[in-house]
Amino acid sequence: MKTLYLITIFLLVTITLQAQNTGIITGKITMLGNQPVASASVAIIELGKRTLTDEQGYYTFDNIVDGKYTIHIQVLGAPVQNIPVVVSAGKSVTIDYEFPEENILVLQEIRINSDQKKFTNKESIYIARLPVKNLENPQVYNSVSKELIQEQMAVDLGSISKNVPGAGVPTIANQGRVTFRSRGFDTEPNARNGVAGAAFAAIDPANLERVEVIKGPSTTLFGTNIASSYGGLYNRVTKKPFNGVGGEVAYYGGSWNFNRISWDANTPLNAEKTALFRLNGATSFERSFQDLGFTKSLSIAPSFSYQITDKLSLLLDVEFGQAKGTSVVRFNPYIGSNKTQSIADMQFPYNRNFLSNDLTYSTQMMNIFAQLNYKISENWTSQTIISRARSTIDGYITALIGRSDSTIRPRIIVGNTSFIATDLQQNFIGDFNIGNHRNRVVIGLDYYNNSNSFDRVTVNTTTMNFINPSPDYSISRLEVDTLTATGSLRKENSGDDTYAVYISDVFNVTDRLLLMGSLRLDRYEYNGVYDITSGTTSGGLGTSGIQAGPYGQTALSHKSGLVYQLAEDRASIFINYMNAFFNKSGVSADGTQFKPEHANQLEFGLKGNLFDHRLVGTISYYDIRVENILRTDPDDINFSLQDGTQLSKGIEIDITANPFPGFSIVAGYAYNDSEYTKSDESVEGLRPAQSGPENMFNFWMSYKITNGNLEGLGVGFGGNAGDESYQTNTQTAKVIIPSYTMLDASIFYDRTKYRIGFKVDNLTSEKAWSVRLTPQAPARFIGSMSLKF
C-alpha cells in the first residue's frame, strides 16, 4: 500500500512538473461574422504535430515546450495561413484566425454551425466542382438541409422532396426506387457527393447531410450516367465525420405499424484527432395503408476521414442497405376505348392492393465512395474520386394492366436483376489570378462503366374485375410460380463504357461581373446485349430501327453563363445557356446512324442573400428545347426518324426566410409549359404524359421559442399543391390525374440532450396519385423521440 502511495505521488509530481515546463497553444478558426469552421487542418510546422478544429472551430495543442513556432492553418481550396507564436512554460497562448471571406467555400466538407443559417445556407462544393458561391453561380439549384429534414420528421426521400419546387408527387417504383419531376422531366436521386451513386432500390435518408437539386441540363460537368435528365439532377450529400464525440439515437412510431430506429455516432480515432469515424444507420418497418403490403429495411452507412498530412486528406464513405417488401400499386389503365377519363372516376379501389403479402421482393444496395484531396500548390488542388454502386433485386415486382374499363390483369416479373456502376474521376482544381482577374478552373477526366444483368421471367396472371372483385381475390405466390414455365424469359447481360474530359472556368471580369464557360467531350461505347441462353451478342436492327448491338457515339456539350452582382454577396442577376445529351442507338430506314439526342436551355433570373442571410431566394425563367428525339417513321413503322422536338419552359421561385429569431419560411413555386412541337401525330402539340402539373406550390413555416422556460418548443405547418396532370395524353385517349392539396403539421420540443416531435402528413386525407397512378397515403401520424450525446 505504501509503494502504491509513493507511485501515485511520483506520477502527480511528474505531471505537475511537466505542465510547469510546457505550454499550451489553443485557438479558434472562424469566418467573417464569427462563423466557426470545423475540420480545418491546424499544424505546428516545427514539431510536425497536427489536428483538426472541432464543431465550434476550436483546436488545442498540449505539452509544447517553450520556444518559437509557426501555426499552419489550411483548408483545401483556401490560402494557407502561417502564424508565428511564442510558447512560454506553464502558460497558454491563444492564436485565433478569421478567414476574410464571409462564405468560404473549400474543396472538402467544412461544417458551419449557425442556427440562423440552418435553412438558408445554400453554399455547395459540388454544384460547380469549384469554390463558387451561390450568388456567383449562373446555374439554379435548391438545397434541403438536414435541419429541415429533422424538423419535418422526413423519413423518406419522397417527404424530403416536398421542399423542392416542381418535384411533384414522388413516383415509387416496385422495388422502392423513387423518381421526381424537374422542369417536366423524370429525375432520379442517383448522384451522390457529386458523382455517380445510383441506387435501384429504396434510399434511406439516415446519412444525408442535405439534398441538392441542380436545375436544368447538367451533363457538361456530371455526364449522362447518373440519371441526370434535361430537367436536372438530385445530388445526395452524405454526412461526414467531424472532430468531436457525439451523436444521436432516435425512435419513430406511427400509423400502420410504422416503427423506425435511427442512429448517428461520431468519434475521433487517434489522439491528434486527424482520423475521424462516423456511423449512421436506420431500420424501419411499415405496413401499407391498403389492405395488403409492407416494407422493412436496414441501412448502415459508415464514413471515415483522415488528414494524412497538411496537404493530403482521405474520405471513405459507404452506404449499405437491404430491404424486403411488396410492390406498390402500379396501374396502367385500359385506353382502347379512346376517351378522356380521370383516375378519380374509374372506380379503381383506393385502398386495395390486389396482390398478396407472399409476393415479395428483396433488394440490396452497396455504394462505396472514396475521395483523395491533395494540395499541389498554393493555387492547385488534385481531387481523385472512386465511386462504385451495386444494386440487386430478387423476387416479385408487379404492375396491374387494364384489360377493359372494369378489369385488370396483374403482370409480374420474377427473378433477379443487378446493376453495377463504377465511376473513376480525376479533377485538377485551380484558383489563380491572370493580371487582376481571378480564375477558378476545374479540369477533369471521367471514366464510367455500367454493367447490367437480368435473369427473370415475366408472367401474366388471371384477369379480374376491379370494380366488383371477389372478396377473397388475390394472386398467390404458388399461382405465379406455376406460370413461370410459360412466361417471357429475359436472361442477358449488357454494359457500356464512357470516357470523358471536361473543363470549366469561372472568370472574374471585375469583382462583380463573372463569366462561366464549360465544355465536355464524351465517347460512349455500348457493348451490346449478351443473351446467356443462346450465347450470342445481339446486333443489327430491332423494332423501330433500334440497334441493340455494340456501337459508339461521340458527343460534345457546353455550359456558359454570366453573373453580375448588383450588391456584392447580396444580390445578383444571371443568365445561362446550357446543353445536354443522351445517347441513342439505331439507324433510320435509309441507313443513317442516329446521333445523340440534345437539349439546350436558356435561363435568366435573380438570386438574393439579404438581411444578414435572413432572406435567401432565386427567381428564374427557363426555356429548354430538346432535339433529335426518335419518333416512328410514318412511312415504315419498323423504323424511326430522328427529327422529333420537345419544348419545356417555365418559371421557378425558391425562397427561404428567417424574418425574426425562431421563425422560418421555406416556399417555392414552379410553372412548367411542356409540349411536343414535332412528333408522332398521336401526341403532336400536346403536353407530354407524366410531365407533371403545370403549376406546383410548396411551403413550410415553423416557429421555435428561442429563450425562456419553453425554449425549444416549436410548431410547423406546410403543404404542397399541384394542378391536374396526365398519365396518358394523346389525341385519342387521356388519363387525367386530379389536382391536389396536401397539408402537413408538426409540434416539437428540441433541447440540447433530447428532442420530442409529433407530425401529421396529409392532414385532410386528400386523395392523390403519382404518375404511375399509385395512391398516396391518407393522414399519417408519426411520433418521435431522440436522445443526443
Side-chain angles (χ1 to χ4, degrees):
M1 187 68 182
K2 183 177 180 181
T3 301
L4 180 60
Y5 175 77
L6 290 174
I7 292 173
T8 302
I9 294 297
F10 174 76
L11 291 174
L12 289 174
V13 171
T14 300
I15 293 171
T16 302
L17 289 174
Q18 185 180 26
Q20 291 175 346
N21 293 325
T22 60
I24 297 173
I25 301 175
T26 187
K28 184 177 183 180
I29 310 301
T30 59
M31 301 179 200
L32 194 65
N34 201 34
Q35 301 277 352
V37 179
S39 298
S41 175
V42 183
I44 303 176
I45 293 178
E46 292 78 5
L47 300 179
K49 287 190 173 185
R50 69 180 61 90
T51 188
L52 298 176
T53 54
D54 65 15
E55 289 284 83
Q56 305 304 318
Y58 290 105
Y59 69 92
T60 301
F61 293 103
D62 295 319
N63 301 321
I64 307 300
V65 298
D66 57 344
K68 296 181 179 180
Y69 302 99
T70 304
I71 295 297
H72 182 82
I73 302 171
Q74 179 169 274
V75 290
L76 292 176
V80 172
Q81 302 298 322
N82 292 314
I83 304 173
V85 59
V86 177
V87 176
S88 300
K91 294 184 178 180
S92 175
V93 58
T94 300
I95 300 296
D96 296 333
Y97 181 76
E98 181 180 76
F99 282 98
E101 292 191 53
E102 183 174 3
N103 292 309
I104 184 169
L105 279 178
V106 296
L107 304 179
Q108 63 192 55
E109 282 286 313
I110 294 294
R111 295 166 61 87
I112 302 172
N113 291 308
S114 172
D115 187 65
Q116 176 182 311
K117 294 178 66 177
K118 64 180 182 178
F119 296 164
T120 59
N121 181 28
K122 305 294 184 182
E123 308 304 344
S124 171
I125 63 175
Y126 303 106
I127 307 301
R129 299 192 188 279
L130 289 170
V132 176
K133 304 174 191 176
N134 178 36
L135 292 183
E136 297 177 317
N137 194 334
Q139 190 164 10
V140 173
Y141 62 93
N142 314 122
S143 183
V144 184
S145 68
K146 70 177 186 301
E147 290 85 3
L148 182 56
I149 294 171
Q150 180 188 64
E151 184 172 288
Q152 294 181 345
M153 296 171 58
V155 293
D156 55 75
L157 286 180
S159 298
I160 293 172
S161 72
K162 291 179 180 181
N163 302 288
V164 178
V169 177
T171 300
I172 308 297
N174 292 332
Q175 67 275 23
R177 180 177 167 189
V178 63
T179 305
F180 311 105
R181 310 276 80 68
S182 184
R183 299 188 171 180
F185 300 94
D186 284 355
T187 308
E188 297 184 16
N190 281 343
R192 179 167 170 264
N193 295 326
V195 296
F200 294 90
I203 301 172
D204 196 288
N207 69 325
L208 290 184
E209 182 73 21
R210 63 184 179 273
V211 173
E212 298 172 343
V213 185
I214 307 172
K215 294 302 184 74
S218 301
T219 60
T220 304
L221 287 181
F222 297 95
T224 63
N225 296 307
I226 53 176
S228 63
S229 73
Y230 298 136
L233 65 90
Y234 276 65
N235 181 39
R236 306 173 346 252
V237 179
T238 60
K239 295 176 181 177
K240 309 300 190 298
F242 58 91
N243 180 5
V245 176
E248 182 175 336
V249 177
Y251 169 76
Y252 299 79
S255 303
W256 311 301
N257 289 345
F258 179 68
N259 282 276
R260 174 181 174 85
I261 296 175
S262 64
W263 57 88
D264 181 357
N266 187 92
T267 183
L269 296 179
N270 60 358
E272 295 81 12
K273 298 183 179 180
T274 55
L276 310 173
F277 178 75
R278 189 168 186 173
L279 180 64
N280 289 273
T283 181
S284 300
F285 175 84
E286 183 177 22
R287 296 191 184 279
S288 170
F289 72 91
Q290 297 177 311
D291 56 349
L292 293 168
F294 73 92
T295 58
K296 58 181 180 180
S297 63
L298 172 67
S299 173
I300 300 174
S303 57
F304 169 76
S305 68
Y306 183 32
Q307 191 74 34
I308 303 169
T309 69
D310 289 343
K311 295 183 176 182
L312 184 64
S313 67
L314 170 69
L315 172 66
L316 179 63
D317 191 284
V318 178
E319 283 180 323
F320 172 80
Q322 62 182 25
K324 183 177 181 178
T326 54
S327 295
V328 298
V329 168
R330 178 184 180 181
F331 178 41
N332 296 328
Y334 175 71
I335 58 174
S337 53
N338 294 336
K339 64 179 180 180
T340 297
Q341 51 188 334
S342 170
I343 179 62
D345 300 326
M346 290 183 185
Q347 301 184 60
F348 189 89
Y350 200 82
N351 295 320
R352 293 208 63 169
N353 181 277
F354 293 108
L355 299 168
S356 62
N357 280 345
D358 62 352
L359 288 173
T360 61
Y361 65 82
S362 297
T363 63
Q364 188 177 96
M365 174 190 71
M366 173 74 83
N367 287 343
I368 300 173
F369 174 90
Q371 178 174 305
L372 195 67
N373 293 322
Y374 180 69
K375 184 80 170 180
I376 300 173
S377 67
E378 186 69 29
N379 302 114
W380 287 93
T381 299
S382 168
Q383 184 185 74
T384 305
I385 298 174
I386 301 174
S387 176
R388 189 166 176 85
R390 174 182 61 83
S391 297
T392 60
I393 308 161
D394 288 288
Y396 304 80
I397 53 179
T398 65
L400 303 177
I401 310 301
R403 302 292 291 169
S404 72
D405 290 343
S406 61
T407 60
I408 55 173
R409 183 173 66 184
R411 177 177 296 165
I412 301 174
I413 298 174
V414 186
N416 173 272
T417 307
S418 66
F419 307 90
I420 300 177
T422 304
D423 195 354
L424 307 179
Q425 195 173 103
Q426 174 62 52
N427 295 311
F428 296 99
I429 301 165
D431 190 345
F432 55 88
N433 282 8
I434 299 178
N436 295 323
H437 304 286
R438 184 183 183 188
N439 284 263
R440 281 162 284 182
V441 178
V442 57
I443 302 171
L445 301 171
D446 195 5
Y447 167 71
Y448 182 88
N449 171 264
N450 180 62
S451 177
N452 307 319
S453 176
F454 301 89
D455 185 4
R456 63 194 200 187
V457 177
T458 300
V459 300
N460 293 308
T461 61
T462 306
T463 298
M464 54 85 63
N465 189 302
F466 63 77
I467 297 177
N468 296 300
S470 64
D472 59 349
Y473 179 83
S474 66
I475 299 294
S476 70
R477 184 169 182 169
L478 178 61
E479 179 182 352
V480 173
D481 290 345
T482 302
L483 292 170
T484 56
T486 58
S488 175
L489 176 65
R490 185 180 184 186
K491 198 177 184 72
E492 63 189 34
N493 297 326
S494 63
D496 54 74
D497 297 278
T498 301
Y499 308 85
V501 58
Y502 51 87
I503 183 171
S504 182
D505 182 18
V506 175
F507 178 78
N508 279 73
V509 181
T510 68
D511 289 342
R512 294 188 180 183
L513 180 62
L514 298 90
L515 296 175
M516 172 184 278
S518 307
L519 195 65
R520 181 187 187 97
L521 179 67
D522 265 75
R523 177 60 183 176
Y524 176 78
E525 297 286 349
Y526 182 61
N527 302 322
V529 177
Y530 176 73
D531 189 301
I532 298 173
T533 303
S534 65
T536 60
T537 299
S538 58
L541 299 179
T543 60
S544 299
I546 299 299
Q547 184 176 10
Y551 69 94
Q553 287 180 341
T554 301
L556 191 67
S557 61
H558 62 82
K559 178 170 71 171
S560 57
L562 181 137
V563 175
Y564 180 71
Q565 296 196 55
L566 303 171
E568 190 171 0
D569 292 332
R570 294 295 176 266
S572 64
I573 54 175
F574 66 91
I575 184 170
N576 67 60
Y577 182 66
M578 299 190 298
N579 174 270
F581 65 92
F582 285 94
N583 297 101
K584 296 295 178 180
S585 65
V587 294
S588 59
D590 62 3
T592 301
Q593 180 74 43
F594 292 146
K595 299 177 295 184
E597 182 181 275
H598 273 268
N600 293 292
Q601 172 184 275
L602 175 66
E603 181 178 22
F604 57 86
L606 174 69
K607 292 184 179 183
N609 189 341
L610 306 173
F611 311 116
D612 193 24
H613 310 292
R614 294 189 181 278
L615 177 61
V616 176
T618 303
I619 178 171
S620 68
Y621 170 83
Y622 63 87
D623 188 311
I624 302 173
R625 297 175 183 270
V626 186
E627 299 176 343
N628 294 342
I629 297 176
L630 297 181
R631 67 184 182 97
T632 302
D633 188 335
D635 297 324
D636 188 342
I637 61 172
N638 294 312
F639 288 88
S640 292
L641 297 178
Q642 194 178 30
D643 63 355
T645 57
Q646 180 181 338
L647 174 67
S648 176
K649 58 184 178 180
I651 297 172
E652 287 185 341
I653 301 173
D654 179 27
I655 295 175
T656 305
N658 178 217
F660 55 85
F663 183 56
S664 298
I665 302 172
V666 177
Y669 167 69
Y671 165 74
N672 174 259
D673 177 18
S674 289
E675 180 185 0
Y676 286 118
T677 50
K678 185 175 183 181
S679 189
D680 295 329
E681 291 183 1
S682 61
V683 296
E684 176 71 22
L686 298 179
R687 182 176 180 85
Q690 304 188 18
S691 59
E694 284 193 7
N695 293 279
M696 284 184 273
F697 303 85
N698 66 277
F699 76 95
W700 178 261
M701 300 183 298
S702 65
Y703 176 70
K704 183 172 71 173
I705 299 172
T706 58
N707 52 60
N709 295 332
L710 296 178
E711 180 181 352
L713 181 64
V715 294
F717 178 74
N720 295 75
D723 292 343
E724 70 175 29
S725 55
Y726 299 97
Q727 187 267 350
T728 300
N729 188 24
T730 70
Q731 299 290 357
T732 57
K734 301 180 188 299
V735 176
I736 297 172
I737 303 172
S739 61
Y740 63 90
T741 299
M742 293 189 285
L743 303 174
D744 308 326
S746 72
I747 183 170
F748 55 88
Y749 188 46
D750 194 354
R751 302 291 292 178
T752 304
K753 296 296 184 181
Y754 63 91
R755 189 178 193 278
I756 300 171
F758 181 75
K759 172 84 177 292
V760 184
D761 290 317
N762 196 5
L763 274 166
T764 61
S765 291
E766 176 89 343
K767 287 188 175 182
W769 292 262
S770 74
V771 295
R772 284 191 169 187
L773 301 184
T774 304
Q776 303 301 292
R780 178 194 192 193
F781 302 85
I782 298 179
S784 72
M785 179 177 66
S786 60
L787 301 177
K788 309 173 189 179
F789 55 90

